[in-house]
Amino acid sequence: MNDPQSLAQRVGDAMFAADVASKDTMGMELLACEPGRALMRMRVQARHLNGHHICHGGFIFTLADSTFAFACNSYNKNAVAAGCSIEFLKPGKLGDVLSCEGLEQTLSGRHGIYDMQVTNQNGEVIALFRGRSAQIQGTVVPE
């Protein structure tokens, strides 16, 4: 089946299967990969804590960046980050379940803008991330 939703799901499944960093190192889960949208989740574990006993910002950034990757590759056109920024608004704490939803804001030619929102299990916004994507040659899965 090649409808956009099925294609996005196949892309997400293929990328996640090969994504050792997100899946194995970070302990993330891919909950959804749809055209222009992705949803990921990660439980804050002791290995994610910094010297202040809160989730290291780099791990929150990685959750947002991984979500960005799935959202911007969901059309099965290889895409990479051209730039991004993040605003940390609240700390993540040990045991928190952080979810990140990424949504396409615009896609024009080879370039896209995507916004990620990281929230905890109480719905509190932990961080906001904006990514700029650039499509490169190739596809994630054979067409």
Side-chain angles (χ1 to χ4, degrees), residues 89-107:
L89 304 171
K90 288 185 71 94
K93 298 175 184 162
L94 182 64
D96 277 354
V97 177
L98 302 182
S99 297
C100 183
E101 181 178 28
L103 295 172
E104 179 182 285
Q105 300 304 307
T106 187
L107 182 60

Side-chain angles (χ1 to χ4, degrees), residues 14-31:
M15 284 180 60
F16 194 68
D19 191 344
V20 175
S22 297
K23 180 174 42 106
D24 301 323
T25 303
M26 297 288 297
M28 293 180 199
E29 301 170 78
L30 176 63
L31 303 178

Side-chain angles (χ1 to χ4, degrees), residues 62-122:
T62 303
L63 174 61
D65 186 49
S66 293
T67 305
F68 171 41
F70 286 95
C72 71
N73 280 276
S74 62
Y75 299 105
N76 199 34
K77 293 181 179 176
N78 284 343
V80 296
C84 61
S85 64
I86 191 164
E87 302 297 327
F88 298 105
L89 304 171
K90 288 185 71 94
K93 298 175 184 162
L94 182 64
D96 277 354
V97 177
L98 302 182
S99 297
C100 183
E101 181 178 28
L103 295 172
E104 179 182 285
Q105 300 304 307
T106 187
L107 182 60
S108 178
R110 295 180 35 239
H111 303 281
I113 303 284
Y114 294 78
D115 286 338
M116 267 47 63
Q117 179 173 280
V118 179
T119 57
N120 65 16
Q121 67 280 1
N122 300 318

Side-chain angles (χ1 to χ4, degrees), residues 3-63:
D3 66 278
Q5 177 57 46
S6 296
L7 180 60
Q9 185 64 51
R10 283 192 359 221
V11 166
D13 291 345
M15 284 180 60
F16 194 68
D19 191 344
V20 175
S22 297
K23 180 174 42 106
D24 301 323
T25 303
M26 297 288 297
M28 293 180 199
E29 301 170 78
L30 176 63
L31 303 178
C33 186
E34 302 167 356
R37 178 184 179 269
L39 180 64
M40 297 190 80
R41 178 171 60 199
M42 167 185 112
R43 180 177 296 278
V44 178
Q45 301 172 34
R47 65 182 170 174
H48 299 129
L49 300 182
N50 64 18
H52 297 293
H53 305 286
I54 57 176
C55 188
H56 191 291
F59 291 118
I60 295 169
F61 178 94
T62 303
L63 174 61

